[in-house]
Amino acid sequence: MDVADVLAASKHCIVFTGAGISAESGVPTFRGPGGLWERYRPEELATPEAFARDPELVWRWYKWRQEVVYNARPNPGHMAIAELEALGVVKAVVTQNVDGLHQRAGSRRVVELHGSLWRTRCAKCGAVYKLERPVDEVPPRCGKCGGLLRPDVVWFGEPLPRGAWNEAVELARISDVVLVVGTSGVVYPAAYIPHIAKEGGAVVIEINVEPSALTPMADYFVRGRAGEVLPQIAEGVKKRLRTR
Ligand code: NAD
């Protein structure tokens, strides 16, 4: 059996993605080159401590990230995943990404484990705001109480949103195939998701340009760029579904 056979025969396939799926859209991964921001480590900016110390610096980084994503488009990897969902093969995407590119590609059931760049949350009163475009002023302020707004994302050391986590665990438990794409698999608890699926008997297929921390537990490892490999796999799945 090859990967397309496994997917075409699956009953409940989920996709687990990380920053690598968006790399070909021009959105830097945390380990890739970040231009202007290369001299900062994400671990020094994506923390509650960094925000308390220097909210303007943290917001300048997030505004830059929002602008990069705003000017980016979903790539053929995102599109192939959305197509597999439309075909009824993929049931949901569980993502560590905060960029919203899966939704823009047409994926309907997307569980965001680490929040979204496209929401802010008041650090004082908790009000949540949706964003259509990057913030103007940094740091932005709450329209209700005047408090500091923060990006509605999960920072290092913070718990995951309970609803998203529970949904992802449930999806992993009932899945028979998990397609792991573009993640280094070192950020926990998110990286438990493929392990939970595997413990429940799921077949793990990984796509990455290089081996990751999850490769040892993968049943299939496809080395390559998500934007090239995923459309080929989707084509293979379509062929198999047609000849059934
Ligand atoms: P990571 O930066 O730790 O790892 C990226 C992985 O993608 C690596 O294993 C790399 O080999 C792989 N990769 C790079 N280009 C690829 C390609 N074209 N095709 C396939 N694989 C490719 O990212 P992570 O594992 O997601 O963990 C970092 C944390 O930071 C996560 O929470 C992540 O979501 C967040 N983050 C999100 C974004 C985003 O929303 N786009 C960007 C950067 C970081």
Side-chain angles (χ1 to χ4, degrees):
M1 285 242 269
D2 74 3
V3 165
D5 289 320
V6 175
L7 286 169
S10 72
K11 297 269 175 285
H12 195 281
C13 169
I14 63 165
V15 186
F16 177 68
T17 62
I21 181 85
S22 298
E24 288 156 82
S25 294
V27 181
T29 63
F30 272 1
R31 280 157 187 83
L36 179 64
W37 292 99
E38 237 167 308
R39 61 203 163 98
Y40 294 94
R41 283 155 35 97
E43 294 84 344
E44 289 165 7
L45 293 167
T47 68
E49 294 76 24
F51 189 68
R53 200 165 48 235
D54 194 344
E56 195 187 321
L57 173 72
V58 172
W59 259 115
R60 277 199 286 126
W61 184 54
Y62 276 95
K63 182 173 162 64
W64 170 75
R65 291 182 64 193
Q66 288 174 337
E67 280 162 356
V68 168
V69 174
Y70 190 70
N71 293 312
R73 284 156 171 245
N75 67 58
H78 297 105
M79 310 297 275
I81 291 170
E83 197 180 0
L84 286 169
E85 185 182 5
L87 288 168
V89 173
V90 163
K91 304 298 186 212
V93 178
V94 175
T95 189
Q96 300 165 84
N97 293 350
V98 293
D99 56 31
L101 288 172
H102 284 299
Q103 293 91 329
R104 278 170 60 189
S107 284
R108 284 196 300 248
R109 187 162 180 195
V110 181
V111 181
E112 294 179 316
L113 289 179
H114 290 162
S116 173
L117 284 179
W118 304 110
R119 284 192 311 267
T120 56
R121 186 171 89 229
C122 179
K124 201 166 146 200
C125 76
V128 173
Y129 298 90
K130 281 204 166 141
L131 297 175
E132 299 293 331
R133 41 172 299 114
V135 294
D136 294 319
E137 303 279 308
V138 291
R141 294 259 167 200
C142 179
K144 292 186 180 130
C145 78
L148 264 184
L149 292 180
R150 56 165 283 176
D152 194 16
V153 299
V154 176
W155 282 330
F156 290 103
E158 292 186 320
L160 270 50
R162 191 189 296 256
W165 175 249
N166 289 345
E167 189 179 355
V169 169
E170 187 51 30
L171 283 165
R173 284 209 181 115
I174 61 175
S175 67
D176 58 355
V177 177
V178 52
L179 187 56
V180 176
V181 186
T183 177
S184 53
V186 294
V187 178
Y188 280 88
Y192 283 127
I193 293 301
H195 288 284
I196 293 168
K198 175 118 184 166
E199 275 162 26
V203 174
V204 178
I205 303 168
E206 183 183 27
I207 299 169
N208 202 310
V209 290
E210 60 183 34
S212 76
L214 296 171
T215 309
M217 57 90 88
D219 298 288
Y220 296 84
F221 177 71
V222 185
R223 192 179 196 130
R225 287 151 63 95
E228 289 164 13
V229 171
L230 280 166
Q232 286 169 19
I233 292 176
E235 272 314 304
V237 172
K238 275 197 278 183
K239 254 188 216 147
R240 282 158 186 78
L241 293 180
R242 272 201 299 270
T243 55
R244 261 193 190 164

